[in-house]
Amino acid sequence: MFRLPVTVLPETFDADHRYPVDLHMHSTASDGALSPGDLVALCASRGLSFMALTDHDTMDGVDEAATAAERAGLCLLAGCELSTRWQGIGIHVVALMPGGVQGPLVEGLLHQRKARIQRAEIIAERLEKLGLEDALAKARLQAGSDRPLGRPDFARALVADGLVPDWASAFKRYLGSGKKGDVKAQWPDIKEAVGWVVDAGGVAVIAHPLLYGLTRRKRGLLMDDFRAAGGQAVELVSGHQNMDATRDLARQLDERGLFASLGSDFHFPGSHAAPGSMSDIPRTAARPIWRHPRLLHMQEAPAGLLGAAG
């Protein structure tokens, strides 16, 4: 059985080290630009040893990624990024699933798929009134597959139709927060979504906690409710962020006994993020996510898809 090159993942974070780990990335199974196989190849070329595929509300790309990971000599952790609500705010929860999709997460992902389809239909109706004819079909053409559509697909359709000059303008004018195309789907409460993950043998992680515009106090309340629901970890580093903010976030994790995860949130080449590219991790007592009991076997795992602990 092919095994990974020996890579020591420390028991605590040391600011002098870089880690060959990226546990938040996207492929064409949701709104990423690379196929799951091509994403794995890019991760391998960048020197990663451990990666997670965490497409939005789906695990459809995991099988392809698993085959590529075994061939490339990487350990792949199956996952997804769940859309949820907390106190009326959209919060994303990364589900890291060493046992794959199973249990209540199966039904949960079906619910998410239906919510995304319904939301896309409403977005299309609104954009048609604003001048994008056949909006659903044009967004589908941009997606290039039958996966549920997201706002980025409509943004590309707006650009292709000449209604805006670029993707950023599409969000600024039509799809961003508070705009006509910003449709609030019926996402589950964060407590329910965390239950899907934990009861299915996974580890629930708050994604990019510094991007929700929360005050420090409110971010702490989010973490408290998340932990009370069974949540176990938070992304201490998501791509590139201010080091002082990261240190403060680390203190909040440590105070609550939450594990610290890390990921680039990679979507497409040429963006500010690349697989394994993220800010430095400060010295902190917050434990690395690979020290979670459900992920302790990750370091000794063979290349390919990480299975559940025996």
Side-chain angles (χ1 to χ4, degrees):
M1 181 178 290
F2 185 87
R3 289 194 172 274
L4 297 168
V6 176
T7 302
V8 177
L9 294 177
E11 294 188 10
T12 58
F13 282 119
D14 186 331
D16 295 329
H17 285 78
R18 286 278 184 168
Y19 308 97
V21 179
D22 193 330
L23 301 180
H24 185 162
M25 290 182 283
H26 300 271
S27 75
T28 51
S30 64
D31 58 348
L34 299 181
S35 70
D38 287 344
L39 174 60
V40 171
L42 179 59
C43 289
S45 73
R46 291 184 57 82
L48 293 182
S49 297
F50 307 92
M51 63 171 290
L53 180 61
T54 57
D55 280 308
H56 292 285
D57 299 307
T58 183
M59 291 174 68
D60 287 351
V62 168
D63 287 347
E64 179 185 336
T67 300
E70 186 172 3
R71 185 169 55 246
L74 275 74
C75 176
L76 172 73
L77 184 51
C80 61
E81 186 176 6
L82 297 170
S83 305
T84 80
R85 304 292 289 175
W86 174 78
Q87 294 190 7
I89 301 168
I91 302 292
H92 288 183
V93 173
V94 167
L96 299 177
M97 306 300 301
V101 60
Q102 59 184 347
L105 186 58
V106 175
E107 189 64 32
L109 289 179
L110 287 175
H111 171 276
Q112 299 293 82
R113 182 180 179 85
K114 292 176 183 177
R116 282 190 171 273
I117 290 171
Q118 291 169 356
R119 184 182 72 157
E121 291 171 349
I122 297 172
I123 293 174
E125 290 176 5
R126 293 185 180 183
L127 292 183
E128 285 178 355
K129 293 177 181 178
L130 296 173
L132 181 63
E133 297 180 0
D134 299 320
L136 200 63
K138 289 177 179 177
R140 174 64 60 203
L141 181 64
Q142 294 298 321
S145 72
D146 62 354
R147 62 167 172 77
L149 299 171
R151 286 183 297 168
D153 301 309
F154 288 101
R156 287 188 284 267
L158 287 164
V159 173
D161 232 42
L163 294 177
V164 291
D166 52 41
W167 191 85
S169 298
F171 272 83
K172 184 176 181 180
R173 192 177 303 175
Y174 295 106
L175 296 164
S177 179
K179 304 302 180 181
K180 286 289 186 179
D182 180 29
V183 176
K184 305 302 182 186
Q186 296 302 307
W187 303 129
D189 183 80
I190 194 169
K191 180 178 180 181
E192 181 180 6
V194 168
W196 297 343
V197 178
V198 176
D199 292 347
V203 180
V205 185
I206 295 178
H208 37 67
L210 298 179
L211 296 186
Y212 302 118
L214 303 176
T215 63
R216 187 183 195 277
R217 176 182 173 277
K218 197 155 188 177
R219 188 167 61 242
L221 292 175
L222 166 62
M223 293 182 190
D224 290 339
D225 287 351
F226 176 75
R227 186 180 65 167
Q232 306 117 312
V234 175
E235 286 182 350
L236 176 59
V237 171
S238 175
H240 297 280
Q241 57 194 50
N242 178 274
M243 181 56 81
D244 288 337
T246 304
R247 291 192 183 98
D248 187 50
L249 181 59
R251 285 190 287 270
Q252 288 188 296
L253 268 63
D254 183 36
E255 290 167 358
R256 292 164 174 81
L258 291 164
F259 289 84
S261 189
L262 61 158
S264 63
D265 198 8
F266 172 78
H267 282 76
F268 53 90
S271 66
H272 66 279
S277 173
M278 59 196 80
S279 295
D280 291 338
I281 300 173
R283 298 178 189 274
T284 173
R287 294 166 293 172
I289 194 165
W290 50 79
R291 301 303 301 170
H292 188 282
R294 290 181 173 177
L295 299 177
L296 278 173
H297 62 305
M298 190 171 84
Q299 182 165 293
E300 288 76 34
L305 185 64
L306 181 69

